[in-house]
Amino acid sequence: ENRRFNIEGEWFQYGRKQGILFAQKEKLIAPDISLGSNFAYDIRGEFYSTTTNYGYIKRANVKESYQFLMAILNSKVMWWYLVNTGTVLANGYFRFKPDYLKPFPIPDLSNIENEVSFNILVDYILLLKAEDEPINEFVPNSHIIQLFEEVIDAMVFELYFPDDFKKADIKIIEYVQRDFRSIEGLEESDKKEVIHQAYQTLREKHNEIRNNLKLMDIRLADIVMPIKNA
C-alpha cells in the first residue's frame, strides 16, 4: 500500500481512521443494517465491531439523557418511521445511516419527570441484559425485559400522541413515575430487588400500567396497531 499503513508511533494500522478519536467516548451505537432498531448504550466507550456501526455522541446543548434517546430510537415508533421512509433490503432489513435518522423528530420534554421514567426502565433493562443469573427463579430475565420494553413502547406512544392518549383516558408515564423506583446509586443486590419488585407490581391484576397497556391496544387501535405491526 505504498507505506500507507506504516504510521510511526500509532498502535493501529487502519487505512481509514476517521472517527477513531471518538470511539472511546460515551455514546449510542447502532449497526448500519438491522432488522428492527438495535441501538446500544456504550457507557464507557468500549464497544467495537468488525462491521459498519455508527456512533452517536450528544452535543453539549443536548439535555436529554442517553437512556431516553435510546428508548426513543429503539421504539416501535422509530422502526415504523424507518419502514415508511427508508428502502427495504433483503429479508426486511433496513439501513440506519445517520442521514436517514436525522429527520426523525425527538419529542420535546416539557416535564423532566417524564425523562426520569424512561431512565428508570432503561437502567432496569441494561442491568437485566448484563446479569447472568435470573432475578426471579421462575421467570427468565428475557421475559421480564420484554415486559419492560412493552411499557417503554407505550410511554413513547404517549409522548408522540399525547392528545389521543388524553382523550382515551390512558396514562402510562404517570403510573411509571408512581410505581417504579430508580436503581441509580444502589448496591447490586438492592438494584436487583428493586427491579424484581417492579416486575411483581407490573404483574398485579389491578395494576394501572398493566391495564392501560391492554386498553391502549383497544381504544387507540387505529393509531397503535399499524405501528406495532410494521
Side-chain angles (χ1 to χ4, degrees), residues 30-62:
D32 176 30
I33 299 174
S34 180
L35 181 61
S37 298
N38 283 295
F39 286 80
Y41 183 18
D42 187 6
I43 301 174
R44 290 176 289 275
E46 57 189 10
F47 289 0
Y48 296 87
S49 174
T50 57
T51 58
T52 301
N53 283 329
Y54 292 105
Y56 298 84
I57 299 174
K58 295 194 303 178
R59 295 184 184 275
N61 64 333
V62 176

Side-chain angles (χ1 to χ4, degrees), residues 12 37 51-52 62 71 94 124 128 146 209:
F12 61 88
S37 298
T51 58
T52 301
V62 176
F94 279 79
Y124 287 3
L128 288 170
Q146 183 179 356
I209 301 173

Side-chain angles (χ1 to χ4, degrees), residues 8-122:
E8 185 176 356
E10 296 287 6
W11 61 268
F12 61 88
Q13 297 291 297
Y14 294 143
R16 301 174 64 191
K17 61 178 183 177
Q18 68 267 32
I20 197 168
L21 296 179
F22 297 98
Q24 294 178 314
K25 292 180 179 291
E26 181 184 20
K27 60 185 176 295
L28 296 183
I29 190 168
D32 176 30
I33 299 174
S34 180
L35 181 61
S37 298
N38 283 295
F39 286 80
Y41 183 18
D42 187 6
I43 301 174
R44 290 176 289 275
E46 57 189 10
F47 289 0
Y48 296 87
S49 174
T50 57
T51 58
T52 301
N53 283 329
Y54 292 105
Y56 298 84
I57 299 174
K58 295 194 303 178
R59 295 184 184 275
N61 64 333
V62 176
K63 62 181 183 300
E64 291 82 5
S65 68
Y66 278 110
Q67 291 99 318
F68 172 76
L69 293 172
M70 184 170 68
I72 297 295
L73 294 172
N74 276 338
S75 68
K76 287 184 171 60
V77 171
M78 172 64 196
W79 177 242
W80 176 84
Y81 166 82
L82 200 63
V83 167
N84 284 275
T85 60
T87 302
V88 66
L89 305 178
N91 301 316
Y93 283 70
F94 279 79
R95 296 199 70 182
F96 280 76
K97 292 182 66 174
D99 284 346
Y100 297 170
L101 305 183
K102 283 179 181 178
F104 181 69
I106 300 296
D108 183 30
L109 284 176
S110 57
N111 184 353
I112 191 63
E113 289 300 320
N114 291 347
E115 181 182 347
V116 172
S117 300
F118 281 91
N119 294 347
I120 288 172
L121 283 171
V122 170

